[in-house]
Amino acid sequence: MHNKGKQTDVIIIGGGLSGLAAARTLKKNRKTVTVLEAQSRVGGRILSTSIKGSIFDLGAQWVSPHQHRIQTLIKEFGLSTTSTYKEGTTLFALFGKKKQGLGNKPPFSRLSLLDITSFENAVKKMLENIEPSKPWESPLGQKLDSLTLETWLEKKMFSKYGKAFYRQVYEEGLCGKLSEASVLDLIWNIKTTGSFHQNLSAEDEWITNGAQEIPNRIAEELGDTVQLDHKVLQIDWGESEVKVYTEQGVWFSKKV
């Protein structure tokens, strides 16, 4: 490591979409920011590639027309979306079996469908008590944030297929296990999308030029703020300063 250090107000570790969006906001608020990205590209879980002239997304790809922040970025950068092809029969795969459904309605027994409806109604009631800008300050915020989705789903639903259906939907949507997310994560996600069923529209569109165009455009705008191939090795937290060590040297900042 080099002894020479570089000073910045805020260091952001990771050049995924969240890190880049945070850097962009901070720069607009006249803060000096450095994004340290371990890989030689930006995007994180978003990765697009070209094969014989066609664009393929190997990571995150779909967007909902109701996801306002991502839609704002799409318009701002002059990108376009294409509707997902939905013609034909919907197949639901659960417990190693495939069943045909009618539209988005799962082919379950009346008891399982009743369980799903009851669960959706419980979620809708909770939405009324969540403030989207500061969900943690809502009356139920702290309580919901202390419960994992895993625990809550087991408590709220009784049918085997109902539980399996929503487990699959939310683990895909949250890109993780139900034990890794709180109930507040889910409720806030639905609240900011607009409604329970709008939240399920997350695969209605995809970005024509590939999803990675968004992080690429933000990184281009940020310029030298983004440092690629800068793997963070160590962080030392002091009372008034933070030291972040990479193979290229030491970075000093107020926040990380």
Side-chain angles (χ1 to χ4, degrees):
M1 292 182 200
H2 303 159
N3 292 323
K4 186 180 178 182
K6 298 179 181 179
Q7 189 75 41
T8 184
D9 289 332
V10 182
I11 290 174
I12 294 171
I13 300 174
L17 188 54
S18 295
L20 294 171
R24 195 175 192 233
T25 299
L26 287 166
K27 285 202 76 172
K28 287 179 179 178
N29 285 278
R30 298 185 178 181
K31 301 292 183 183
T32 57
V33 189
T34 298
V35 178
L36 300 176
E37 169 55 53
Q39 299 188 79
S40 57
R41 65 170 182 84
V42 293
R45 290 181 175 180
I46 301 173
L47 176 61
S48 304
T49 188
S50 176
I51 302 175
K52 294 183 178 180
S54 297
I55 302 295
F56 291 89
D57 282 308
L58 305 181
Q61 60 179 325
W62 287 295
V63 296
S64 166
H66 307 291
Q67 291 171 336
H68 306 299
R69 290 181 180 179
I70 201 74
Q71 290 290 350
T72 298
L73 286 174
I74 289 169
K75 290 176 183 176
E76 186 176 337
F77 291 126
L79 303 176
S80 61
T81 60
T82 302
S83 297
T84 302
Y85 186 78
K86 292 183 177 180
E87 299 298 322
T89 303
T90 304
L91 294 177
F92 290 81
L94 288 172
F95 302 111
K97 297 179 181 178
K98 292 181 181 178
K99 293 184 177 182
Q100 292 185 11
L102 183 62
N104 289 326
K105 188 176 180 181
F108 298 157
S109 68
R110 289 184 179 180
L111 194 62
S112 293
L113 291 175
L114 177 64
D115 190 25
I116 287 174
T117 301
S118 176
F119 175 74
E120 290 180 2
N121 288 336
V123 169
K124 288 174 184 175
K125 276 189 177 181
M126 297 168 83
L127 290 173
E128 298 172 3
N129 298 309
I130 293 296
E131 167 56 45
S133 62
K134 293 183 178 180
W136 54 87
E137 292 183 1
S138 302
L140 283 174
Q142 294 296 322
K143 181 179 180 181
L144 296 182
D145 204 31
S146 68
L147 290 170
T148 67
L149 276 173
E150 178 89 46
T151 303
W152 192 63
L153 195 70
E154 285 297 320
K155 182 180 178 181
K156 285 290 180 182
M157 302 191 77
F158 59 82
S159 66
K160 176 182 176 182
Y161 277 92
K163 290 178 183 179
F165 174 67
Y166 275 116
R167 176 180 293 277
Q168 191 162 309
V169 166
Y170 290 125
E171 286 190 341
E172 179 184 330
L174 296 168
C175 299
K177 299 295 183 183
L178 295 187
S179 58
E180 298 171 336
S182 76
V183 180
L184 186 62
D185 288 327
L186 172 65
I187 300 300
W188 177 79
N189 191 290
I190 295 172
K191 182 77 174 186
T192 53
T193 305
S195 72
F196 192 92
H197 291 287
Q198 285 179 352
N199 186 254
L200 297 179
S201 69
E203 297 183 358
D204 279 5
E205 299 175 355
W206 48 278
I207 300 168
T208 310
N209 293 337
Q212 199 171 355
E213 270 299 295
I214 291 181
N216 285 349
R217 297 286 184 93
I218 298 176
E220 184 179 336
E221 179 187 290
L222 292 172
D224 292 341
T225 294
V226 181
Q227 298 290 315
L228 301 177
D229 299 308
H230 276 61
K231 182 180 180 181
V232 172
L233 305 174
Q234 181 179 325
I235 302 175
D236 288 345
W237 301 85
E239 290 184 8
S240 59
E241 187 178 61
V242 187
K243 295 179 184 178
V244 178
Y245 295 84
T246 69
E247 291 180 351
Q248 289 81 359
V250 185
W251 296 78
F252 298 89
S253 72
K254 298 172 185 175
K255 302 283 185 180
V256 174

